[in-house]
Amino acid sequence: MILVVMISILLVAGFFCWLLAQWNVSMVKWISLSAVAIDFLLTCFILWQHSVTPLLNSPAWLVEYRADWIPSFGISFHLAADGLSLLLLLLCFFLGLLAVACSWNEIHQRTGFYYFNLLWTLAGIAGVFVALDLFLFYFFWEVMLVPMYFLIAIWGDNNRRYAAYKFFIFTQAGGLLMLLAILALYFIHGAQTGTYSYDYFSLLSTTLSPTASRWIMMGFLLAFVIKLPAVPFHNWLPDAHSEAPTAGSLILAGLLLKTGAYGIIRFVVPLFPQAAAAIAGWAMLFGVIGIVYGALMAFAQTDIKRLIAYTSVSHMGFVLLGIFSFREIALQGVVMQMITHGISTGALFLLAGMLKERLHTRDIAQMGGLWTSMPAMGGMALVFVMASLGLPLLGNFIGEFLVLLGAFPANGPLAIIATLGFVFSALYSLRLMQRVFLGPLTIETPLRDLNARELATMIALVISIVLLGIYPQPVLDLVRPTVMQLVEGASVATR
C-alpha cells in the first residue's frame, strides 16, 4: 500500500498546486517540496526496513500491492518494488527535490500549472519503476510523457515548441509500438491459457515462437532505446535538453532516460530471453557506436546544454553495452551507471541553468574566466566534470569500469573500442571546463556566485557522487538479487 500512497501524494499535491496558485504562489512551492520530500523519506524508510544484510537472502520483491482494476479485461493495479526499483525511486525523489529547489526563483508565470506538471511527471516516472501490470505500466509511461511535453513547450527556451513536438513525436511513436507489443503478448497468452491477463508474472510463462518473440520484443525494445536514447534514435534529445527549463533538463537526463534502461532490464530480457540473446551482439555494437558518436558530438558543440545532452548519449551507450553482455558484474555496473549518470549529468544541467540565468546565453564561446568571479560554482563544476570523464573515487568511474569489465568476456573487441569513451570524455569535459571557467576573462561585469539554496543543492549532489565512488557496495548489494535472476534467465536462453 505504501507504493500507492507515494504515487498518490504526488498526484494529489499536483492538483492542489494548480488550484491554489491563484491565491498563494509561495504555498504552491512548499506543497511541491513537501510532497516530494515525504516520498523521499518513505523510500528511505522502506530501505531501512530491508537492511543490506537481509536483502542478500530475501525474496526479490520487497514491497508489493495488488488489487483488481478492470478484472473483465485482466487488468490489475499491481505495484511491486525490488532492490532496483527502490534504488530508482530514491533517485527519482532525490532529483525531484532538486528540481523543485532549482525552480524556486526561475518560474514566474503559470506557477501552479508548472508544479502540477512537474509533480505528475515524477508520479509517472515513479509508477513506471513499480508497475507490474503491463497495461498499468503503459498508463504510467504516458502519464510521464504528457506533463514533460508541457514543461518544455510552455516554460522552455526560444525554440521550445519545436523541441516539445519532436520529443512528443519520438517518444509517442515508441510508446505506440510498445502498446501493440503488449496487446500481442496479451492475446497470445490468453489463447494459450484461456486467461487474459496483463500481469507481469503471468506473461513470463508465455510460450512464444521465435518469430513472434522477435517481433514482439522489438516493439518493447524500440520504445526503450528511443527513451534511452540509443543512436540513431537520439535525435530528439539535444533539442529537448537545450530548450527545456532547468528542472526539465534535470528530470530528462536524470530520470526519463533511466526509464528506457529500466524497461530493457525489467521487460525485454526477462520476457524474451532467447530473442534478446539473438540480438545481443548488435545491441552491444549500437551501444559502442553511441559511446563514441556521443562523445565526438559533445566535443563539437558550442551550446553548453547541447554539449551536456550529447554526453548523455555517450554515457548511456555503456548501459546498452552492459545489459546485453549478460554478465553479473556488467549489469551491476549498468545500475551504477544509471544512478551516477543521473546525479552527475543532472548537476551539470543545474550548473548550465545557473549560468544561463546569470549570463543570458548558452554559448560557451561567450564565456571564459568565470572562476575569478564565481569560485564556488567553478569548484562544483570541476567535481562533476571530473565525474563525467570517469575520474576514480567518483561514482561514474565505478559504473563504467564494471560495465567494461563484464563486457570484455562477452565481446572483447567491442569492449576495447568502448574504452575510447574514457579518452573522448576527457576531451569534451576538459574543453568545457577550460572554455567556461578558465582562460581569459570575457565578461567584465561582476557575477553573483552560488547563493545558499544553490550551494546546498550542489553540496548534496557532490556528497552523493563522492560516496558512490568511495563506497558503492550498498548499491551493488541492493540490486544483486535482481541481477542474479536476470543473469540466470539469460544463461538458460543462451544454452
Side-chain angles (χ1 to χ4, degrees):
M1 191 65 182
I2 192 170
L3 298 176
V4 180
V5 171
M6 291 163 68
I7 295 173
S8 299
I9 286 173
L10 295 175
L11 296 176
V12 173
F15 271 120
F16 274 112
C17 290
W18 195 0
L19 295 173
L20 297 177
Q22 56 184 322
W23 291 292
N24 193 326
V25 173
S26 180
M27 183 184 295
V28 166
K29 298 176 182 178
W30 285 107
I31 289 173
S32 302
L33 188 65
S34 301
V36 183
I38 290 170
D39 279 356
F40 179 76
L41 293 174
L42 287 174
T43 309
C44 292
F45 174 73
I46 297 172
L47 289 170
W48 175 77
Q49 280 186 314
H50 303 278
S51 58
V52 171
T53 303
L55 270 173
L56 299 178
N57 302 310
S58 67
W61 301 100
L62 306 173
V63 185
E64 189 169 3
Y65 175 81
R66 189 199 300 260
D68 288 337
W69 186 10
I70 313 175
S72 58
F73 290 103
I75 301 172
S76 63
F77 199 85
H78 187 188
L79 305 177
D82 59 356
L84 174 62
S85 298
L86 288 176
L87 194 61
L88 291 173
L89 282 179
L90 193 67
L91 177 69
C92 175
F93 300 132
F94 175 61
L95 295 184
L97 284 170
L98 303 184
V100 174
C102 74
S103 305
W104 208 265
N105 294 326
E106 181 180 355
I107 304 301
H108 304 289
Q109 59 171 341
R110 306 179 69 176
T111 307
F113 190 52
Y114 172 85
Y115 285 103
F116 167 83
N117 285 290
L118 183 63
L119 293 181
W120 273 60
T121 301
L122 293 174
I125 294 169
V128 163
F129 290 147
V130 296
L132 285 186
D133 180 280
L134 267 67
F135 184 88
L136 183 64
F137 175 81
Y138 181 75
F139 171 79
F140 282 122
W141 188 268
E142 294 300 306
V143 166
M144 73 177 180
L145 167 62
V146 177
M148 179 53 69
Y149 164 81
F150 284 120
L151 286 176
I152 300 171
I154 298 176
W155 295 276
D157 219 325
N158 297 329
N159 206 23
R160 56 186 180 271
R161 292 192 177 179
Y162 168 77
Y165 291 149
K166 199 172 184 179
F167 163 76
F168 189 84
I169 291 169
F170 268 81
T171 51
Q172 184 67 5
L176 291 175
L177 289 174
M178 181 173 65
L179 177 60
L180 293 175
I182 290 172
L183 291 173
L185 194 59
Y186 168 79
F187 284 113
I188 291 174
H189 176 79
Q192 289 179 1
T193 64
T195 303
Y196 289 88
S197 174
Y198 289 95
D199 188 72
Y200 176 74
F201 296 118
S202 299
L203 295 175
L204 280 174
S205 61
T206 307
T207 303
L208 298 170
S209 67
T211 302
S213 178
R214 181 169 60 253
W215 283 105
I216 296 174
M217 181 207 67
M218 290 304 295
F220 281 93
L221 186 60
L222 283 172
F224 297 141
V225 296
I226 288 171
K227 192 61 69 75
L228 191 62
V231 176
F233 306 105
H234 68 288
N235 192 256
W236 63 271
L237 182 72
D239 294 296
H241 270 317
S242 58
E243 300 302 324
T246 303
S249 295
L250 172 62
I251 292 175
L252 274 170
L255 299 174
L256 255 73
L257 306 191
K258 309 308 176 293
T259 60
Y262 173 83
I264 298 174
I265 294 171
R266 178 69 74 218
F267 296 103
V268 171
V269 178
L271 288 172
F272 316 100
Q274 287 84 8
I279 65 156
W282 287 103
M284 294 175 72
L285 175 62
F286 277 101
V288 172
I289 290 172
I291 292 170
V292 176
Y293 172 83
L296 292 175
M297 289 299 294
F299 184 76
Q301 302 305 308
T302 57
D303 184 313
I304 187 169
K305 293 187 77 173
R306 290 184 72 89
L307 188 157
I308 300 169
Y310 275 110
T311 69
S312 293
V313 176
S314 180
H315 289 306
M316 297 310 286
F318 283 98
V319 170
L320 207 56
L321 176 67
I323 291 174
F324 284 94
S325 67
F326 301 129
R327 297 294 193 278
E328 179 185 352
I329 191 168
L331 285 163
Q332 288 183 323
V334 165
V335 177
M336 279 295 299
Q337 179 73 346
M338 291 164 66
I339 301 301
T340 56
H341 172 267
I343 293 171
S344 62
T345 306
L348 290 174
F349 274 116
L350 286 177
L351 289 168
M354 296 172 191
L355 288 171
K356 173 68 164 56
E357 180 187 352
R358 289 161 171 79
L359 304 176
H360 307 291
T361 181
R362 302 194 307 257
D363 187 359
I364 61 175
Q366 299 182 35
M367 305 178 191
L370 297 182
W371 196 304
T372 303
S373 55
M374 297 187 290
M377 184 182 291
M380 295 298 174
L382 182 62
V383 172
F384 293 106
V385 164
M386 293 299 106
S388 183
L389 63 82
L391 189 73
L393 298 182
L394 297 173
N396 297 59
F397 171 79
I398 302 294
E400 293 177 2
F401 178 74
L402 292 179
V403 168
L404 292 173
L405 201 62
F408 186 80
N411 194 317
L414 287 181
I416 291 171
I417 297 172
T419 58
L420 293 174
F422 283 104
V423 178
F424 294 143
S425 64
L427 294 177
Y428 65 68
S429 298
L430 295 176
R431 174 176 176 267
L432 173 64
M433 195 68 199
Q434 172 67 31
R435 294 294 297 271
V436 176
F437 290 99
L438 304 176
L441 185 66
T442 58
I443 299 175
E444 300 296 335
T445 308
L447 298 172
R448 174 176 56 85
D449 206 350
L450 299 178
N451 59 34
R453 175 178 52 82
E454 293 168 337
L455 187 61
T457 299
M458 299 311 299
I459 287 174
L461 290 163
V462 168
I463 292 172
S464 302
I465 202 71
V466 171
L467 284 178
L468 288 170
I470 295 174
Y471 188 53
Q473 195 61 46
V475 172
L476 303 181
D477 289 338
L478 189 61
V479 300
R480 189 179 179 191
T482 305
V483 167
M484 290 297 293
Q485 285 188 353
L486 203 63
V487 172
E488 289 170 7
S491 64
V492 171
T494 53
R495 286 173 188 169

